């Protein structure tokens, strides 16, 4: 199975601005398979909400599925020079 199985049912999205970091939103992932496509879909929605030209970096968990999702996002937004950093 290409997905993350865990007790956590929320993905939290935070943004950092010149002023301060802030919580943007949480996605309820209950009963979802958290595979690369699911994660990339929600990352893409947040990126579009914030504005692709405002993205400098994306930081995720170091799980293989997150790395795969980042590759999808990187190819999707390559034209703006998005830098994807995966850390644990």
């Amino acid at each position: 199975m290409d997905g993350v199985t865990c007790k956590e049912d929320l993905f939290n999205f935070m943004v950092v601005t010149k002023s301060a970091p802030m919580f943007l939103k949480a996605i309820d992932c209950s009963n979802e398979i958290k595979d690369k496509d699911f994660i990339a879909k929600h990352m893409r929605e947040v990126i579009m909400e914030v504005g692709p030209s405002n993205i400098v970096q994306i930081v995720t968990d170091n799980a293989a599925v997150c790395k795969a999702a980042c590759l999808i996002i990187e190819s999707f937004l390559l034209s703006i020079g998005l830098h994807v950093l995966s850390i644990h």
Side-chain angles (χ1 to χ4, degrees):
M1 180 169 89
D2 182 22
V4 178
T5 304
C6 60
K7 294 179 184 179
E8 293 82 18
D9 291 325
L10 296 175
F11 282 171
N12 294 309
F13 292 91
M14 307 277 302
V15 296
V16 178
T17 66
K18 290 180 183 179
S19 304
M22 65 179 237
F23 172 80
L24 183 64
K25 67 179 177 179
I27 303 295
D28 182 2
C29 302
S30 301
N31 303 314
E32 298 286 348
I33 296 175
K34 297 150 196 89
D35 63 7
K36 65 183 179 182
D37 296 314
F38 176 84
I39 295 169
K41 173 186 173 243
H42 289 288
M43 289 172 68
R44 187 179 304 121
E45 288 173 1
V46 168
I47 289 166
M48 297 310 291
E49 183 178 337
V50 171
S53 63
N54 295 317
I55 302 296
V56 175
Q57 188 176 70
I58 296 174
V59 180
T60 70
D61 187 297
N62 201 28
V65 70
C66 291
K67 288 181 181 181
C70 284
L71 290 175
I72 293 169
I73 294 300
E74 188 172 36
S75 66
F76 175 69
L77 297 173
L78 188 60
S79 64
I80 65 165
L82 178 68
H83 303 283
V84 178
L85 173 64
S86 296
I87 65 170
H88 182 92

